[in-house]
Amino acid sequence: MATKSKQKIKPLRLAKAWSYSPAPESASIAQIKDQYELFINGKWQKPKRGAYLDSINPANEKKLYRAAIAESEDVEKAVSAARTAYDKYWKKMPAAERGKYIFRIARLMQEQARELSVMETLDGGKPIRESRDFDIPMACNHFFYYAGWADKLDYAFSNRKAKSLGVAAQITPWNFPLLMAAWKIAPALATGNTIVLKPAETTSLTTLKLASIIEEADLPAGVVNIITGAGPTGSALVRHGGINKIAFTGSTAVGKLIQQETAGTHKKLTLELGGKAANIIFSDAPIDQAVEGVVNGIFFNQGHVCCAGSRLYVQESIAAVFIQKLKDRMATLLVGDPMDKNTDIGAINSAAQLEKINYYIRLGKKEGALHYQSDALLPKKGFYCRPTLFTKVAQSSRLAQEEIFGPVLAILTFRTEDEVIEKANNTPYGLSAGVWTDKGSRIFNMSRRLKAGVVWANSYNLFDPASPFGGYKESGYGREGGWHGLLPYVTF
Ligand code: NAP
Ligand code: MG
């Protein structure tokens, strides 16, 4: 007689029943220049040594624009512009006036939301549905939210008077370029700091567009400076003696370097780093919603999310049914042109990132896990990866421990609550987690014991500007968003 775990579950194979006509967003709405300079002291300035780097569209590998490489002389100029602007205007400006500037930026971003969405998708490869419905509106909301805090700082910290720090150096990654810039710029401005920001080299476009919006908003020259370039530009910024604060979002490896670099200095530091989130499904969970939550957590946005639910823990009694339902849903996911409004999984951000993902897929097979991939058709040009899962994954395997940053899900099973908490907490990271269950008391118990900055219950990847976000352990420290997001930018 077949045991329960060997039971055959019939696949549904819904995919073949559905096909959509192409529904591409128009690229022509985005006015992309061939070349972008550095935005320093309110002017577009050529880099001192005249070097530029190309950014491509990862969906078709075509060059999109080139951006200046800021070297140490340019970093010097940007930091000194930010210092002058801080001393001359920004720290003296009444808080309510600062707030008006931030509101103005938010409104201009809203007005240009469609162009920003198209730019984000062309430059980074994420589906237009995601840039249009999540990245850009959420970036605008962060400016609106922190604009409201500017003149209320005296009420934010009871019996304490908050003072700004001075010049903030901010470094952002490629997965949510505009949103990460908003997370950093909006609270820094609201608290009265000036800024030098460096976006990631593969996705500088929307941050450069934000610089023109800031120009249009008529912010005093030098309050926000945007410098482009690769790792060495970021490193020169971090090492500069004239900055008071560093806000970094990126990999744990670079975060550790920055921590070493700033040890023993006066610089205040916040780090938002990698993750390996556990999405935990109990047998009493609403199964179909949980399947959708898992898909949203790891496959949408190509798994290019620091809080991606990349480890799935399913309670043993429902594992076979759940995994089959998940495979059925994976078969319906459309991989392809990120500009198509039907696309679920767009392009992987770069050739190097695709190689990293494929390395982990090969590694998972070598480690003895069982591999499953949907049979989605992929475009011939560009960097793409089918949604992938592994079952029979060992807790100690690299597949279950390391951040892949791609649409690759490691599935493990558990029997009891204590067991899954121990397993979920057993990685170097602690950024986020998901719990799916019908029991409220279990949600409270789990969210108390899971070492994760965010725990979503019967949902996944929900954000709000008023809600803080950040990690435990090697996922970094400090919080962005909400009242907590003001703290890294003030002193008392
Ligand atoms: P990354 O390689 O660490 O790069 C992040 C930023 O740092 C980029 O602007 C990068 O420039 C710059 N950089 C590189 N080397 C540097 C150095 N030595 N000193 C200073 N800056 C340096 O990370 P990524 O690959 O872009 O982003 C993916 C990572 O970000 C993932 O690990 C993900 O989990 C994490 N992430 C975390 C959060 C969060 O809130 N916790 C949010 C989003 C992403 P170039 O790109 O030009 O090299
Ligand atoms: Mg690009």
Side-chain angles (χ1 to χ4, degrees):
M1 207 171 80
T3 62
K4 204 169 186 181
S5 60
K6 283 185 189 149
Q7 243 175 24
K8 278 252 178 289
I9 312 284
K10 236 173 126 198
L12 279 171
R13 290 278 158 222
L14 292 172
K16 307 291 173 274
W18 297 340
S19 70
Y20 296 96
S21 304
E25 170 61 288
S26 160
S28 63
I29 181 128
Q31 308 277 313
I32 302 174
K33 296 184 205 157
D34 291 337
Q35 181 171 309
Y36 288 86
E37 311 300 344
L38 306 167
F39 186 67
I40 298 177
N41 206 21
K43 291 189 225 51
W44 294 94
Q45 308 199 18
K46 288 200 179 298
K48 186 85 194 288
R49 295 197 208 166
Y52 291 81
L53 50 81
D54 289 344
S55 183
I56 59 158
N57 175 352
N60 58 20
E61 299 171 52
K62 285 193 185 139
K63 183 184 149 188
L64 211 54
Y65 62 94
R66 59 183 210 149
I69 300 178
E71 304 201 45
S72 48
E73 301 90 334
D74 308 296
V75 171
E76 180 62 50
K77 239 194 209 173
V79 174
S80 117
R83 174 63 56 195
T84 309
Y86 178 71
D87 290 333
K88 254 173 125 175
Y89 319 107
W90 207 240
K91 78 171 175 196
K92 294 184 190 156
M93 189 177 284
E97 293 305 308
R98 271 203 322 263
K100 284 183 201 165
Y101 279 109
I102 309 172
F103 270 123
R104 202 181 291 170
I105 296 170
R107 281 198 301 266
L108 287 165
M109 283 171 76
Q110 253 184 347
E111 278 168 28
Q112 298 171 53
R114 187 160 169 221
E115 183 174 8
L116 283 165
S117 311
V118 169
M119 283 180 157
E120 202 71 301
T121 286
L122 291 174
D123 201 16
K126 64 171 60 197
I128 187 72
R129 204 172 62 200
E130 169 134 14
S131 352
R132 183 196 61 194
D133 298 347
F134 180 72
D135 291 57
I136 311 304
M138 191 56 78
C140 299
N141 285 349
H142 270 267
F143 277 97
F144 278 119
Y145 174 78
Y146 280 108
W149 269 119
D151 63 350
K152 295 173 199 72
L153 293 177
D154 286 346
Y155 312 102
F157 312 98
S158 51
N159 299 322
R160 288 184 298 172
K161 184 137 180 75
K163 290 191 291 268
S164 52
L165 299 172
V167 178
Q170 307 185 320
I171 299 175
T172 53
W174 47 258
N175 58 342
F176 290 93
L178 187 71
L179 184 57
M180 291 300 110
W183 277 24
K184 291 188 164 36
I185 295 176
L189 290 182
T191 45
N193 298 279
T194 57
I195 294 162
V196 180
L197 183 144
K198 187 202 94 67
E201 62 184 289
T202 57
T203 54
S204 301
L205 192 55
T206 48
T207 310
L208 290 163
K209 175 75 182 161
L210 179 61
S212 7
I213 288 175
I214 284 168
E215 202 179 4
E216 210 181 324
D218 216 11
L219 215 71
V223 171
V224 176
N225 304 276
I226 305 291
I227 56 171
T228 43
T233 305
S235 182
L237 182 57
V238 163
R239 274 192 262 117
H240 197 289
I243 56 171
N244 304 92
K245 194 231 146 34
I246 299 167
F248 173 80
T249 298
S251 59
T252 295
V254 175
K256 284 181 181 174
L257 280 179
I258 295 178
Q259 200 170 21
Q260 284 164 12
E261 201 74 64
T262 51
T265 71
H266 65 286
K267 298 169 191 170
K268 206 168 163 173
L269 177 64
T270 40
L271 298 171
E272 301 282 0
L273 309 175
K276 190 76 185 178
N279 211 352
I280 301 166
I281 322 289
F282 285 94
S283 58
D284 63 347
I287 302 287
D288 293 325
Q289 286 94 320
V291 167
E292 211 46 42
V294 170
V295 167
N296 173 25
I298 182 68
F299 296 132
F300 290 164
N301 197 18
Q302 307 73 247
H304 288 348
V305 189
C306 50
C307 49
S310 50
R311 283 180 301 156
L312 175 67
Y313 287 94
V314 197
Q315 202 155 20
E316 227 170 69
S317 56
I318 57 159
V321 176
F322 194 91
I323 293 166
Q324 189 55 58
K325 278 181 179 265
L326 184 60
K327 287 180 179 172
D328 290 340
R329 179 67 176 99
M330 281 164 74
T332 70
L333 295 175
L334 301 175
V335 187
D337 180 10
M339 288 290 276
D340 193 307
K341 291 165 196 154
N342 294 319
T343 293
D344 296 304
I345 301 177
I348 301 300
N349 183 258
S350 63
Q353 186 59 27
L354 180 58
E355 178 39 40
K356 182 180 167 198
I357 296 167
N358 286 332
Y359 165 80
Y360 275 100
I361 292 176
R362 291 192 297 272
L363 180 74
K365 291 178 186 168
K366 232 198 262 168
E367 283 181 330
L370 292 184
H371 168 255
Y372 170 84
Q373 221 169 29
S374 88
D375 53 7
L377 292 172
L378 302 186
K380 293 210 165 50
K381 271 290 215 197
F383 314 128
Y384 294 93
C385 180
R386 295 186 178 91
T388 304
L389 64 76
F390 282 94
T391 50
K392 306 241 180 288
V393 177
Q395 174 72 27
S396 58
S397 67
R398 289 180 61 196
L399 205 62
Q401 291 289 326
E402 296 177 14
E403 185 181 51
I404 302 174
F405 228 55
V408 181
L409 179 66
I411 304 185
L412 299 95
T413 58
F414 69 96
R415 290 185 186 173
T416 68
E417 216 167 297
D418 284 345
E419 178 194 348
V420 76
I421 289 170
E422 190 163 332
K423 284 179 165 174
N425 286 338
N426 180 5
T427 75
Y429 297 110
L431 193 57
S432 60
V435 178
W436 297 80
T437 174
D438 194 34
K439 244 184 169 174
S441 58
R442 183 179 274 154
I443 291 172
F444 286 120
N445 183 38
M446 296 291 290
S447 51
R448 199 170 44 80
R449 293 175 64 198
L450 285 169
K451 289 278 165 278
V454 181
V455 180
W456 284 291
N458 295 325
S459 60
Y460 208 85
N461 269 349
L462 294 182
F463 287 87
D464 190 280
S467 174
F469 184 85
Y472 276 83
K473 301 192 280 185
E474 293 194 17
S475 292
Y477 48 77
R479 294 290 178 267
E480 293 187 306
W483 169 85
H484 304 71
L486 297 166
L487 283 169
Y489 291 98
V490 296
T491 181
F492 298 102

